[in-house]
Amino acid sequence: MSQDKTTTTATPKTTGHNWDGIEEYTNPLPTWWIWGFYITFIFTVVYWLFYPAWPIGDKFTKGIPGLHTITYKATTVDGKEVEKTTHWNMRSKFMHEMNEMEGVQKQWFDKVAAMSFEDVSKDAELMQFVNSAGKTLFSDNCAPCHQAGGQGKIGFSPNLTDDHWQFGGTHDEIQQTIVHGRKGFMPAFKEVLNEQQITQLANYVLSLSGEPHDNAFATAGAQLFKSEDAGCYYCHGADAKGNTQMGSANLTDKIWLWADVPAKSTQESKLAEVKRVITGGLDRGVMPAWGGRLKPEQIKLLTVYVHDSLGGGK
Amino acid sequence: MEATSPVSPVKKPSPLLNRQIPIVTRSVKGKFRTFKTAVMVIAYSVYFLLPWMQWERSNAASQALLFDLESRRFFIFNLVVYPQDIFWLAMLLFIAAALLFFTTGLIGRAWCGYFCFQTLWTDLFIMIERMVQGERPARLRLIKQPWNAEKILKMGVSHSLMILISFWTGVTFAAYFTYAPDFVYHLFTGQAAEAGYITVVVLTITTYVAAGLSREHICTLACPYARFQGVMYEEDTLAVAYDVRRGEGTAGRIAPGKGLRIREERQAQGHGDCIDCGFCVQVCPTGIDIRDGLQYQCISCGLCIDACNNVMDSVGSPRGLIRYDSEQNIASPVPHRPRLEWRRPKVLGYAASLVVASTILFYNIGTRSDTEANVQQVRQPLFVMLSDGSVRNRYQINIINKTEHEQRYYLKVQGIPANALDMGNIPEIRVRAGKTLSLNAKVDLSSEQAKATKHFSFIVIPTIAEAEPVVVKTNFHSH
């Protein structure tokens, strides 16, 4: 009923070309399709005016200046803030969007910067921001060593989620650690002590943490620990509880950083782990300084994140 | 293929590639037209006025129906819907589908004919055309005549009106998502959000194109419903139907002429009651001939019934040559009065699922709690050993306050000692109206307790007296 009968043609038209009796139909493209094709031409002209388009040698046309430019702020290598205006390109667009998002986050960072550590950790809504922004900062800067969740790796980097802090666990001490970095060091004792003495010390260290050990050796080790021969107590203290001022480990708790005792199942292998550390010492407990790399407010937020979100804060 | 083989003639080209004759409908009076108009008035009143209805709220715009995407809350009078209530939407869609199948099985495409947006807006735009350009013959004449002043004026006015209505349709739609009075003011002063302008422009264009230009093509070519009506109809389904036997008789339908004016004369010559006036075709918004039988294009609006009844009245034949009736009844030797045949497994099945789904939905809405809480265990690390050998697990607790006021909560643990829970320095848990707060929690257990504990529960207790505490069970991991 609603169909136009006039367009129903019985014989289709041909182009008139005839090759050995083979003819070609003329089936014109639909009008809307043709127009769509024309519009793409118009689009290319518009695109060419606005965006970088033609490659010329190792250069390219940058679009007509002023039609579509991007302004963004960036920090140069020597720490200066500069504002740049360029032709449209993906990197500038990215920088511009990053500037915008920084603007959105700024009010929260400002709030954190203006408050004391204690007050930030008491503000539940602010802690939500600390959790999410801190996670990003931590993932970008800290996770390569301390692992994604801050759990660290025995023999490589301290676990930040437990309650032991090598260099002190207060907000101020953590901030100090992040800003200036840390360096843990323990001398090698292979030149100073003989094999038996090292075995005695290692048994004593195991006994401090309640690990399986040889009692006779441990008693001898305790003597040696406090003697001038070995001099362990210089750094670890007479009670072997370490010193956060210099980052010497607390040997009496259950937490191990350099000797992977928890992973070993037999008494011999546990002993070998501890002996390895005493024999060879340590010269690689280095954490770089982040003072120049992160902004002060980022370090402050990261401090709260490490202290309150990850760690025990104790 | 041989070069000389004859070209086979194209028999029936696809309707997609053919130009369509515009359908110009004749207006009609009757009970279905009245019903359609009534539905239209109610539907338009609801749609266009609802965003302007005010409703007292403590912490959001005072609009009765507000789909606040920005704060991720839907305000439906006293009900506030949060993203986590997406289940309700799923149930609502299921109910809508079941209702559609139920009514289709019972009385055919009632949705299409009377309630569908496409039908409502097309109907309105046709009414505008009739008011500005005149009745069908006048409009046909106008289409054929060259573009002179009269045609430009009449076409211009009617299409301007359509665009204006389309525009207000778009504005109204957008007004459901923001505070309507502010939005309309901002829209005209250029301060509204970009999304608002895009919504209005897109809806103006789509409404005008769909109801002003495409019209029945949306129903016949775009809408999937027409295509699967065949599987939803049954022999007992009531549908707009032409009584072939009565209309055609044994000698076919014929226009009244000499000796064919009175019903008895016509019947004596074997002709049926259909006088072939063509009014049923002229009033049809999809331009079909209902006398060809049930077609996918039929939106069952009943206007042909009105047209035919009016003609039957004037020629003195009984009404109901075209009527709502079932295929079975029309075909039976002695048709009874058309009636709803609801005692069918399909209809009863859909009715049952409708009742069940509605009950579940309303029960769920009725018993919704004002507090929702969930606990996510921190998995990296899953647990950590502390210096004294005890084991710590950490959790993220999300508390959702679904009330309209700020709310305070206590947090307790069940199944482990109370002092095992460490919430850090947070002095008091306060959650703003309609907001979610996530908190860090640490749970420390001695190594013996840790070995014995596999599960425990967090209990979130709202401070208001009548509120139920929320208990969330969670795991505890250790070596």
CSV table of all heavy atoms in Angstrom, one decimal, chain A residues 1-4 7-8 10 20-21 25 121-122 125 128 131 148-149 151 159 161 163 253-255 308-312 314, chain B residues 3 7 9-10 15 18-21 287 380-381 384-387 389 392 394 425-427 432 436-438 440 442 444:
chain,number,residue,atom,x,y,z
A,1,MET,N,0.8,-1.2,0.0
A,1,MET,CA,0.0,0.0,0.0
A,1,MET,C,0.9,1.2,0.0
A,1,MET,O,0.7,2.2,-0.8
A,1,MET,CB,-0.9,0.0,1.2
A,1,MET,CG,-1.8,1.2,1.4
A,1,MET,SD,-3.0,1.3,0.0
A,1,MET,CE,-3.3,3.1,0.1
A,2,SER,N,1.9,1.2,0.8
A,2,SER,CA,2.7,2.4,1.0
A,2,SER,C,3.9,2.4,0.0
A,2,SER,O,4.8,3.2,0.2
A,2,SER,CB,3.1,2.6,2.4
A,2,SER,OG,3.9,1.5,2.8
A,3,GLN,N,3.9,1.4,-0.9
A,3,GLN,CA,5.1,1.4,-1.7
A,3,GLN,C,4.9,2.0,-3.1
A,3,GLN,O,3.8,1.9,-3.7
A,3,GLN,CB,5.5,-0.1,-2.0
A,3,GLN,CG,6.5,-0.5,-0.9
A,3,GLN,CD,6.6,-2.0,-0.7
A,3,GLN,OE1,6.4,-2.7,-1.7
A,3,GLN,NE2,6.8,-2.4,0.5
A,4,ASP,N,5.9,2.7,-3.5
A,4,ASP,CA,5.9,3.4,-4.8
A,4,ASP,C,6.1,2.5,-5.9
A,4,ASP,O,7.2,1.9,-6.1
A,4,ASP,CB,6.9,4.5,-4.8
A,4,ASP,CG,6.8,5.5,-5.9
A,4,ASP,OD1,6.0,5.1,-6.9
A,4,ASP,OD2,7.4,6.5,-5.9
A,7,THR,N,8.9,2.7,-9.0
A,7,THR,CA,10.4,2.5,-9.0
A,7,THR,C,10.7,1.0,-9.2
A,7,THR,O,11.8,0.6,-9.3
A,7,THR,CB,11.0,2.8,-7.6
A,7,THR,OG1,10.2,2.2,-6.6
A,7,THR,CG2,11.0,4.3,-7.4
A,8,THR,N,9.6,0.2,-9.3
A,8,THR,CA,9.8,-1.2,-9.5
A,8,THR,C,10.1,-1.5,-11.0
A,8,THR,O,9.1,-1.6,-11.8
A,8,THR,CB,8.6,-2.1,-9.1
A,8,THR,OG1,8.3,-1.6,-7.8
A,8,THR,CG2,8.9,-3.5,-9.0
A,10,ALA,N,11.3,-3.6,-14.3
A,10,ALA,CA,11.4,-5.0,-14.7
A,10,ALA,C,12.8,-5.4,-15.1
A,10,ALA,O,13.3,-6.4,-14.7
A,10,ALA,CB,10.4,-5.3,-15.7
A,20,ASP,N,32.0,-9.1,-25.5
A,20,ASP,CA,31.6,-10.5,-25.9
A,20,ASP,C,30.3,-10.9,-25.3
A,20,ASP,O,30.1,-12.0,-24.7
A,20,ASP,CB,32.7,-11.5,-25.5
A,20,ASP,CG,34.0,-11.2,-26.2
A,20,ASP,OD1,34.0,-10.6,-27.3
A,20,ASP,OD2,35.1,-11.6,-25.7
A,21,GLY,N,29.4,-10.0,-25.2
A,21,GLY,CA,28.1,-10.3,-24.7
A,21,GLY,C,28.0,-10.1,-23.2
A,21,GLY,O,26.9,-10.3,-22.7
A,25,TYR,N,25.8,-4.2,-15.2
A,25,TYR,CA,24.6,-3.4,-14.6
A,25,TYR,C,25.1,-2.1,-14.1
A,25,TYR,O,26.2,-2.0,-13.6
A,25,TYR,CB,24.0,-4.2,-13.5
A,25,TYR,CG,23.3,-5.4,-13.9
A,25,TYR,CD1,23.0,-6.4,-12.9
A,25,TYR,CD2,22.8,-5.6,-15.2
A,25,TYR,CE1,22.4,-7.6,-13.3
A,25,TYR,CE2,22.1,-6.8,-15.5
A,25,TYR,CZ,22.0,-7.8,-14.6
A,25,TYR,OH,21.3,-8.9,-14.9
A,121,SER,N,44.9,11.7,60.6
A,121,SER,CA,44.6,10.3,60.9
A,121,SER,C,43.3,10.2,61.7
A,121,SER,O,42.7,9.1,61.7
A,121,SER,CB,45.7,9.6,61.6
A,121,SER,OG,45.8,10.1,62.9
A,122,LYS,N,42.8,11.3,62.2
A,122,LYS,CA,41.5,11.2,63.0
A,122,LYS,C,40.3,11.6,62.1
A,122,LYS,O,39.2,11.3,62.4
A,122,LYS,CB,41.5,12.3,64.1
A,122,LYS,CG,42.3,11.8,65.3
A,122,LYS,CD,42.3,12.9,66.4
A,122,LYS,CE,43.2,12.5,67.6
A,122,LYS,NZ,43.5,13.6,68.4
A,125,GLU,N,37.1,11.0,56.6
A,125,GLU,CA,36.9,11.3,55.2
A,125,GLU,C,38.2,11.7,54.5
A,125,GLU,O,38.4,11.3,53.4
A,125,GLU,CB,35.9,12.5,55.1
A,125,GLU,CG,34.5,12.0,55.3
A,125,GLU,CD,33.4,13.1,55.1
A,125,GLU,OE1,33.8,14.3,54.9
A,125,GLU,OE2,32.3,12.8,55.2
A,128,GLN,N,40.1,8.6,53.6
A,128,GLN,CA,39.7,8.0,52.4
A,128,GLN,C,40.6,8.5,51.2
A,128,GLN,O,41.0,7.7,50.4
A,128,GLN,CB,38.2,8.3,52.1
A,128,GLN,CG,37.3,7.5,52.9
A,128,GLN,CD,35.9,7.6,52.4
A,128,GLN,OE1,35.2,6.6,52.1
A,128,GLN,NE2,35.4,8.8,52.2
A,131,ASN,N,44.0,7.1,51.6
A,131,ASN,CA,44.1,5.7,51.1
A,131,ASN,C,44.2,5.6,49.6
A,131,ASN,O,45.0,4.9,49.1
A,131,ASN,CB,42.8,5.0,51.5
A,131,ASN,CG,42.9,4.5,52.9
A,131,ASN,OD1,44.0,4.3,53.5
A,131,ASN,ND2,41.7,4.1,53.5
A,148,ALA,N,53.7,-4.2,46.1
A,148,ALA,CA,52.5,-3.5,45.9
A,148,ALA,C,51.7,-3.2,47.2
A,148,ALA,O,51.2,-2.1,47.4
A,148,ALA,CB,51.6,-4.2,44.9
A,149,GLY,N,51.7,-4.1,48.1
A,149,GLY,CA,50.9,-3.9,49.3
A,149,GLY,C,51.8,-3.5,50.4
A,149,GLY,O,51.3,-3.4,51.6
A,151,GLN,N,54.3,-5.1,51.6
A,151,GLN,CA,54.7,-6.3,52.4
A,151,GLN,C,56.2,-6.6,52.4
A,151,GLN,O,56.6,-7.4,53.1
A,151,GLN,CB,53.9,-7.5,52.0
A,151,GLN,CG,54.2,-8.1,50.6
A,151,GLN,CD,53.3,-7.6,49.5
A,151,GLN,OE1,53.1,-6.4,49.5
A,151,GLN,NE2,52.9,-8.4,48.6
A,159,ASN,N,59.2,-5.0,55.5
A,159,ASN,CA,57.8,-5.1,55.4
A,159,ASN,C,57.2,-3.9,56.2
A,159,ASN,O,57.6,-3.6,57.3
A,159,ASN,CB,57.4,-6.4,56.2
A,159,ASN,CG,55.9,-6.7,56.1
A,159,ASN,OD1,55.1,-5.7,55.9
A,159,ASN,ND2,55.5,-7.9,56.3
A,161,THR,N,54.0,-3.4,56.7
A,161,THR,CA,52.6,-3.6,57.2
A,161,THR,C,52.7,-4.3,58.6
A,161,THR,O,51.7,-4.5,59.2
A,161,THR,CB,51.8,-4.6,56.3
A,161,THR,OG1,52.5,-5.8,56.2
A,161,THR,CG2,51.7,-4.0,54.9
A,163,ASP,N,54.5,-4.4,62.6
A,163,ASP,CA,54.6,-3.3,63.7
A,163,ASP,C,56.0,-3.0,64.0
A,163,ASP,O,56.3,-2.3,65.0
A,163,ASP,CB,53.8,-3.7,64.9
A,163,ASP,CG,54.3,-5.0,65.5
A,163,ASP,OD1,55.1,-5.7,64.8
A,163,ASP,OD2,54.0,-5.3,66.6
A,253,ASP,N,62.5,-10.0,68.3
A,253,ASP,CA,61.1,-10.2,67.8
A,253,ASP,C,61.1,-11.3,66.8
A,253,ASP,O,62.0,-11.9,66.4
A,253,ASP,CB,60.5,-8.9,67.3
A,253,ASP,CG,61.2,-8.3,66.1
A,253,ASP,OD1,62.0,-9.1,65.5
A,253,ASP,OD2,61.1,-7.1,65.9
A,254,LYS,N,59.9,-11.5,66.3
A,254,LYS,CA,59.6,-12.6,65.3
A,254,LYS,C,59.9,-12.2,63.9
A,254,LYS,O,59.6,-12.9,62.9
A,254,LYS,CB,58.2,-13.1,65.4
A,254,LYS,CG,57.8,-13.5,66.8
A,254,LYS,CD,58.2,-15.0,67.0
A,254,LYS,CE,57.7,-15.4,68.4
A,254,LYS,NZ,58.2,-16.7,68.8
A,255,ILE,N,60.2,-10.9,63.7
A,255,ILE,CA,60.3,-10.4,62.3
A,255,ILE,C,61.7,-10.4,61.8
A,255,ILE,O,62.7,-10.1,62.5
A,255,ILE,CB,59.8,-8.9,62.3
A,255,ILE,CG1,58.3,-8.9,62.6
A,255,ILE,CG2,60.1,-8.3,61.0
A,255,ILE,CD1,57.7,-7.6,63.0
A,308,ASP,N,49.5,5.0,58.9
A,308,ASP,CA,48.1,4.6,59.3
A,308,ASP,C,47.4,3.6,58.4
A,308,ASP,O,46.6,2.8,59.0
A,308,ASP,CB,47.3,5.9,59.4
A,308,ASP,CG,47.8,6.8,60.5
A,308,ASP,OD1,47.5,6.6,61.6
A,308,ASP,OD2,48.6,7.7,60.1
A,309,SER,N,47.6,3.6,57.1
A,309,SER,CA,46.9,2.7,56.3
A,309,SER,C,47.7,1.4,56.2
A,309,SER,O,47.0,0.3,56.2
A,309,SER,CB,46.8,3.3,54.9
A,309,SER,OG,46.1,4.5,54.9
A,310,LEU,N,49.0,1.4,56.1
A,310,LEU,CA,49.7,0.2,55.9
A,310,LEU,C,50.1,-0.4,57.3
A,310,LEU,O,49.9,-1.5,57.6
A,310,LEU,CB,51.0,0.4,55.1
A,310,LEU,CG,50.8,0.7,53.6
A,310,LEU,CD1,52.2,0.8,53.0
A,310,LEU,CD2,50.0,-0.3,52.9
A,311,GLY,N,50.9,0.4,58.0
A,311,GLY,CA,51.6,-0.1,59.2
A,311,GLY,C,50.7,0.0,60.5
A,311,GLY,O,49.6,0.4,60.5
A,312,GLY,N,51.4,-0.5,61.5
A,312,GLY,CA,50.7,-0.6,62.8
A,312,GLY,C,50.7,0.8,63.5
A,312,GLY,O,49.8,1.0,64.3
A,314,LYS,N,52.7,1.6,65.5
A,314,LYS,CA,53.1,1.4,66.9
A,314,LYS,C,54.6,1.6,66.9
A,314,LYS,O,55.3,1.3,66.0
A,314,LYS,CB,52.8,0.0,67.4
A,314,LYS,CG,51.3,-0.1,67.7
A,314,LYS,CD,51.0,-1.5,68.0
A,314,LYS,CE,49.5,-1.8,68.0
A,314,LYS,NZ,49.2,-3.2,67.9
B,3,ALA,N,26.9,-15.7,-22.1
B,3,ALA,CA,26.8,-14.3,-22.4
B,3,ALA,C,25.4,-13.9,-22.8
B,3,ALA,O,24.9,-12.8,-22.6
B,3,ALA,CB,27.8,-13.8,-23.4
B,7,VAL,N,18.4,-11.8,-18.9
B,7,VAL,CA,18.4,-11.1,-17.6
B,7,VAL,C,17.1,-11.5,-16.9
B,7,VAL,O,16.0,-11.2,-17.4
B,7,VAL,CB,18.6,-9.6,-17.7
B,7,VAL,CG1,18.4,-9.0,-16.3
B,7,VAL,CG2,19.9,-9.3,-18.3
B,9,PRO,N,14.1,-10.9,-14.6
B,9,PRO,CA,13.5,-9.7,-14.1
B,9,PRO,C,13.5,-9.7,-12.6
B,9,PRO,O,13.2,-10.7,-11.9
B,9,PRO,CB,12.1,-9.6,-14.7
B,9,PRO,CG,11.8,-11.0,-15.0
B,9,PRO,CD,13.1,-11.7,-15.3
B,10,VAL,N,13.7,-8.5,-12.0
B,10,VAL,CA,13.6,-8.4,-10.5
B,10,VAL,C,12.2,-8.5,-10.1
B,10,VAL,O,11.4,-7.7,-10.6
B,10,VAL,CB,14.2,-7.1,-10.0
B,10,VAL,CG1,14.1,-6.9,-8.5
B,10,VAL,CG2,15.7,-7.0,-10.5
B,15,PRO,N,11.6,-3.6,0.3
B,15,PRO,CA,10.9,-2.3,0.7
B,15,PRO,C,11.9,-1.3,1.2
B,15,PRO,O,11.6,-0.1,1.1
B,15,PRO,CB,9.9,-2.7,1.8
B,15,PRO,CG,10.4,-4.0,2.3
B,15,PRO,CD,11.1,-4.7,1.1
B,18,ASN,N,12.9,1.1,-1.6
B,18,ASN,CA,11.9,1.9,-2.4
B,18,ASN,C,11.5,3.1,-1.7
B,18,ASN,O,11.4,3.2,-0.4
B,18,ASN,CB,10.7,0.9,-2.6
B,18,ASN,CG,10.9,0.0,-3.7
B,18,ASN,OD1,10.8,0.5,-4.9
B,18,ASN,ND2,11.3,-1.2,-3.5
B,19,ARG,N,11.1,4.1,-2.4
B,19,ARG,CA,10.6,5.3,-1.9
B,19,ARG,C,9.2,5.0,-1.3
B,19,ARG,O,8.5,4.1,-1.8
B,19,ARG,CB,10.5,6.4,-2.9
B,19,ARG,CG,11.9,7.0,-3.3
B,19,ARG,CD,11.7,8.1,-4.3
B,19,ARG,NE,10.9,9.1,-3.9
B,19,ARG,CZ,9.7,9.5,-4.5
B,19,ARG,NH1,9.4,8.9,-5.6
B,19,ARG,NH2,9.0,10.5,-4.0
B,20,GLN,N,8.9,5.6,-0.2
B,20,GLN,CA,7.6,5.4,0.4
B,20,GLN,C,6.7,6.5,0.1
B,20,GLN,O,7.1,7.7,0.2
B,20,GLN,CB,7.8,5.2,1.9
B,20,GLN,CG,8.8,4.2,2.3
B,20,GLN,CD,8.3,2.8,2.4
B,20,GLN,OE1,7.2,2.6,2.7
B,20,GLN,NE2,9.1,1.8,2.0
B,21,ILE,N,5.4,6.2,-0.1
B,21,ILE,CA,4.4,7.3,-0.2
B,21,ILE,C,4.1,7.7,1.2
B,21,ILE,O,3.8,6.9,2.1
B,21,ILE,CB,3.2,6.7,-0.9
B,21,ILE,CG1,3.5,6.3,-2.3
B,21,ILE,CG2,2.1,7.8,-0.9
B,21,ILE,CD1,2.4,5.6,-3.0
B,287,GLY,N,-0.8,2.8,7.4
B,287,GLY,CA,-1.1,2.7,6.0
B,287,GLY,C,-1.4,1.3,5.5
B,287,GLY,O,-1.2,1.0,4.3
B,380,GLN,N,47.0,-8.0,50.1
B,380,GLN,CA,48.4,-7.8,49.7
B,380,GLN,C,49.1,-7.1,50.9
B,380,GLN,O,49.1,-5.9,50.8
B,380,GLN,CB,48.5,-7.1,48.4
B,380,GLN,CG,49.6,-7.6,47.6
B,380,GLN,CD,49.6,-7.0,46.2
B,380,GLN,OE1,48.9,-6.0,46.0
B,380,GLN,NE2,50.4,-7.5,45.3
B,381,PRO,N,49.6,-7.7,51.9
B,381,PRO,CA,49.6,-9.2,52.1
B,381,PRO,C,48.3,-9.6,52.8
B,381,PRO,O,47.6,-8.9,53.4
B,381,PRO,CB,50.8,-9.3,53.1
B,381,PRO,CG,50.8,-8.0,53.8
B,381,PRO,CD,50.3,-7.0,52.9
B,384,VAL,N,50.0,-10.7,58.1
B,384,VAL,CA,51.4,-10.4,58.4
B,384,VAL,C,51.7,-10.8,59.9
B,384,VAL,O,50.8,-10.7,60.7
B,384,VAL,CB,51.6,-8.9,58.2
B,384,VAL,CG1,50.7,-8.0,59.0
B,384,VAL,CG2,53.1,-8.5,58.4
B,385,MET,N,52.9,-11.3,60.1
B,385,MET,CA,53.2,-11.7,61.4
B,385,MET,C,53.9,-10.5,62.1
B,385,MET,O,54.7,-9.8,61.6
B,385,MET,CB,54.2,-12.8,61.4
B,385,MET,CG,54.2,-13.6,62.7
B,385,MET,SD,55.7,-14.2,63.2
B,385,MET,CE,55.6,-15.8,62.5
B,386,LEU,N,53.4,-10.2,63.3
B,386,LEU,CA,53.9,-9.1,64.1
B,386,LEU,C,55.1,-9.5,65.0
B,386,LEU,O,55.4,-10.7,65.1
B,386,LEU,CB,52.8,-8.5,65.0
B,386,LEU,CG,51.6,-8.0,64.1
B,386,LEU,CD1,50.5,-7.4,65.1
B,386,LEU,CD2,52.0,-7.0,63.1
B,387,SER,N,55.7,-8.5,65.6
B,387,SER,CA,57.0,-8.8,66.4
B,387,SER,C,56.8,-9.8,67.5
B,387,SER,O,57.7,-10.6,67.8
B,387,SER,CB,57.6,-7.5,66.9
B,387,SER,OG,56.6,-6.7,67.5
B,389,GLY,N,54.8,-12.3,67.4
B,389,GLY,CA,54.3,-13.6,66.9
B,389,GLY,C,52.9,-13.6,66.6
B,389,GLY,O,52.4,-14.6,66.1
B,392,ARG,N,48.3,-10.4,62.0
B,392,ARG,CA,47.4,-9.3,61.7
B,392,ARG,C,46.8,-9.5,60.3
B,392,ARG,O,47.4,-9.9,59.4
B,392,ARG,CB,48.2,-8.0,61.7
B,392,ARG,CG,47.4,-6.8,61.1
B,392,ARG,CD,48.2,-5.5,61.2
B,392,ARG,NE,48.4,-5.1,62.6
B,392,ARG,CZ,49.1,-4.1,62.9
B,392,ARG,NH1,49.8,-3.4,62.1
B,392,ARG,NH2,49.2,-3.8,64.2
B,394,ARG,N,44.2,-7.2,57.7
B,394,ARG,CA,43.6,-5.9,57.5
B,394,ARG,C,42.4,-5.9,56.6
B,394,ARG,O,42.3,-6.8,55.7
B,394,ARG,CB,44.7,-5.0,56.9
B,394,ARG,CG,45.8,-4.7,57.9
B,394,ARG,CD,46.9,-3.8,57.3
B,394,ARG,NE,47.5,-4.4,56.2
B,394,ARG,CZ,47.9,-3.7,55.1
B,394,ARG,NH1,47.7,-2.4,55.1
B,394,ARG,NH2,48.4,-4.3,54.1
B,425,ASN,N,43.1,6.0,64.5
B,425,ASN,CA,42.8,7.1,65.3
B,425,ASN,C,41.4,7.7,65.1
B,425,ASN,O,41.1,8.7,65.7
B,425,ASN,CB,43.8,8.3,65.0
B,425,ASN,CG,45.2,7.9,65.5
B,425,ASN,OD1,45.4,7.1,66.4
B,425,ASN,ND2,46.2,8.5,64.9
B,426,ILE,N,40.6,7.0,64.3
B,426,ILE,CA,39.3,7.5,64.0
B,426,ILE,C,38.4,7.5,65.3
B,426,ILE,O,38.2,6.5,65.9
B,426,ILE,CB,38.5,6.6,63.0
B,426,ILE,CG1,39.4,6.4,61.8
B,426,ILE,CG2,37.2,7.2,62.6
B,426,ILE,CD1,39.7,7.6,61.0
B,427,PRO,N,38.0,8.7,65.8
B,427,PRO,CA,37.4,8.8,67.1
B,427,PRO,C,35.9,8.3,67.0
B,427,PRO,O,35.4,7.8,68.0
B,427,PRO,CB,37.4,10.3,67.5
B,427,PRO,CG,37.6,11.0,66.2
B,427,PRO,CD,38.2,10.0,65.2
B,432,ARG,N,28.0,10.9,56.1
B,432,ARG,CA,27.0,11.8,55.6
B,432,ARG,C,25.8,11.2,54.9
B,432,ARG,O,25.9,10.0,54.5
B,432,ARG,CB,27.7,12.8,54.6
B,432,ARG,CG,28.7,13.7,55.2
B,432,ARG,CD,29.3,14.5,54.1
B,432,ARG,NE,30.7,15.0,54.5
B,432,ARG,CZ,30.9,16.2,54.9
B,432,ARG,NH1,29.9,17.1,55.0
B,432,ARG,NH2,32.1,16.5,55.3
B,436,THR,N,29.0,7.0,51.2
B,436,THR,CA,29.7,5.8,51.6
B,436,THR,C,31.0,6.2,52.3
B,436,THR,O,31.7,7.2,51.8
B,436,THR,CB,30.1,4.9,50.4
B,436,THR,OG1,28.9,4.7,49.7
B,436,THR,CG2,30.7,3.6,50.8
B,437,LEU,N,31.4,5.6,53.4
B,437,LEU,CA,32.6,5.9,54.0
B,437,LEU,C,33.4,4.6,54.1
B,437,LEU,O,32.9,3.5,54.5
B,437,LEU,CB,32.4,6.4,55.4
B,437,LEU,CG,33.7,6.9,56.1
B,437,LEU,CD1,34.2,8.1,55.5
B,437,LEU,CD2,33.4,7.1,57.6
B,438,SER,N,34.7,4.6,53.6
B,438,SER,CA,35.5,3.4,53.8
B,438,SER,C,36.5,3.6,54.8
B,438,SER,O,37.2,4.7,54.9
B,438,SER,CB,36.1,2.9,52.4
B,438,SER,OG,36.8,4.0,51.9
B,440,ASN,N,39.8,1.9,57.4
B,440,ASN,CA,40.8,0.9,57.5
B,440,ASN,C,40.6,0.2,58.9
B,440,ASN,O,40.4,0.9,59.9
B,440,ASN,CB,42.2,1.5,57.5
B,440,ASN,CG,42.5,2.2,56.2
B,440,ASN,OD1,42.1,1.7,55.2
B,440,ASN,ND2,43.1,3.3,56.3
B,442,LYS,N,42.2,-3.0,61.4
B,442,LYS,CA,43.3,-4.0,61.6
B,442,LYS,C,42.8,-4.9,62.7
B,442,LYS,O,42.2,-4.5,63.7
B,442,LYS,CB,44.6,-3.3,62.0
B,442,LYS,CG,45.1,-2.4,61.0
B,442,LYS,CD,46.4,-1.7,61.4
B,442,LYS,CE,46.8,-0.7,60.4
B,442,LYS,NZ,46.7,0.7,60.8
B,444,ASP,N,44.2,-7.9,65.1
B,444,ASP,CA,45.4,-8.7,65.5
B,444,ASP,C,45.0,-9.8,66.5
B,444,ASP,O,44.2,-9.6,67.4
B,444,ASP,CB,46.3,-7.8,66.4
B,444,ASP,CG,46.9,-6.6,65.5
B,444,ASP,OD1,46.7,-6.6,64.3
B,444,ASP,OD2,47.4,-5.7,66.1
